[in-house]
Amino acid sequence: MRTWLLPCLVGGLALATPALAQEEDAPFAYPDEETPEEKAPAPRRRYVEEDLAREFREVAEEEEDEDTRSFKRLAGLDDPNTGIAFEVIGGVMGLSSSRGQLADFLPAVGGRFTWEYGRLLNVEPLREALWFDVRYLYTGLREGTKLIVGDTRLHYFSIAPAYELTFGSLVDYGVYVQAGGGLAYQHTALEIDGTATPVNGLKPLIQVGAGLRGRTKLSSSSNLRLAWRLEATVYRRGYLFDTFFGASAGTAF
């Protein structure tokens, strides 16, 4: 049996076709590797990343704007004053003298309304610096003899914006300059032996002044303040110059 088994094995090996290695059209792609076809969408991925970055920037800017608006509202809560004040004025008025003297110094009284309109602006340094006055001032002069008497009454109405320079961190105190205009009403009566002849006149005026201004806080639990001022103001009515030196005190909110 062994003699015929060996020839059969040799013949079978001779008749078998040889198995040759074949070239593959494309390499096998393993799961951890990317084929060139899969790498193609890379530009689209970059565009998506840019869109996401732009969206993040827009959201951040919106949040920043909301934070800024919130800060402005909180700033108003930190300083809840309205910037409104009412004051009573008193002092002396140097009227231009008709007799060639330097001036006739007469007592003068009045009142004023002050509003800090700089609080409406979005610039923090101007909140305390910009304001204006609406002012009324009165003075009068009566002189003469028993037979002839001259009686003069002057009423000053003016509006004057101002700019104040505060003392550093002491924002409630500062020096200021202002300029404005208005009207001067003059009532004059010439009395001769008890008979009066009135003469009235209305003239435009220019107001220029400077002074020291303060708003002293009266209570830590409220916004009530003592508004006060020391000032020197010049009124020009026609060709006449009247100078006022005085002080005022009142209430600020």
Side-chain angles (χ1 to χ4, degrees):
M1 181 179 293
R2 293 178 179 178
T3 58
W4 60 266
L5 181 60
L6 181 60
C8 289
L9 293 173
V10 173
L13 294 173
L15 295 176
T17 57
L20 300 178
Q22 298 179 358
E23 295 181 359
E24 297 181 357
D25 295 338
F28 179 77
Y30 293 95
D32 296 338
E33 298 180 354
E34 295 182 354
T35 61
E37 291 79 2
E38 293 177 347
K39 294 182 180 180
R44 176 179 177 80
R45 184 181 306 168
R46 184 172 64 252
Y47 296 149
V48 172
E49 293 176 354
E50 292 178 355
D51 294 340
L52 291 175
R54 184 173 61 254
E55 291 178 0
F56 283 133
R57 286 196 301 270
E58 292 176 355
V59 172
E61 291 175 357
E62 292 178 358
E63 292 179 352
E64 183 178 356
D65 294 339
E66 292 179 358
D67 294 340
T68 303
R69 290 193 294 268
S70 300
F71 173 76
K72 292 178 181 178
R73 289 194 294 270
L74 291 176
L77 293 176
D78 293 338
D79 185 13
N81 295 308
T82 59
I84 294 176
F86 299 92
E87 300 175 52
V88 177
I89 308 173
V92 294
M93 178 72 77
L95 293 178
S96 294
S97 177
S98 59
R99 299 190 300 269
Q101 298 178 353
L102 180 61
D104 292 322
F105 288 95
L106 307 170
V109 295
R112 67 167 144 244
F113 163 78
T114 303
W115 180 40
E116 299 173 1
Y117 66 91
R119 297 175 183 271
L120 299 178
L121 306 178
N122 294 327
V123 182
E124 186 66 22
L126 299 180
R127 287 175 57 86
E128 310 288 342
L130 297 179
W131 46 269
F132 72 87
D133 285 340
V134 179
R135 176 190 304 217
Y136 165 74
L137 204 61
Y138 164 80
T139 188
L141 174 65
R142 182 180 177 87
E143 60 182 359
T145 63
K146 292 182 179 180
L147 181 61
I148 301 175
V149 178
D151 188 9
T152 301
R153 300 287 183 263
L154 285 168
H155 305 266
Y156 301 85
F157 303 91
S158 62
I159 299 176
Y163 178 80
E164 180 177 351
L165 182 63
T166 57
F167 298 143
S169 60
L170 300 176
V171 295
D172 295 333
Y173 305 93
V175 293
Y176 69 90
V177 293
Q178 67 178 159
L183 295 172
Y185 174 73
Q186 180 175 346
H187 171 77
T188 301
L190 181 62
E191 299 180 6
I192 301 176
D193 196 14
T195 302
T197 303
V199 178
N200 302 322
L202 190 66
K203 292 184 179 181
L205 65 83
I206 298 175
Q207 173 188 337
V208 179
L212 174 67
R213 179 173 178 254
R215 289 151 297 157
T216 305
K217 197 168 185 179
L218 298 177
S219 173
S220 59
S221 59
S222 67
N223 301 327
L224 187 64
R225 296 171 182 263
L226 173 64
W228 56 269
R229 199 180 305 184
L230 301 175
E231 63 178 303
T233 304
V234 176
Y235 295 93
R236 177 172 180 176
R237 48 184 180 94
Y239 61 91
L240 301 175
F241 289 86
D242 304 329
T243 305
F244 174 75
F245 299 96
S248 63
T251 304
F253 303 94

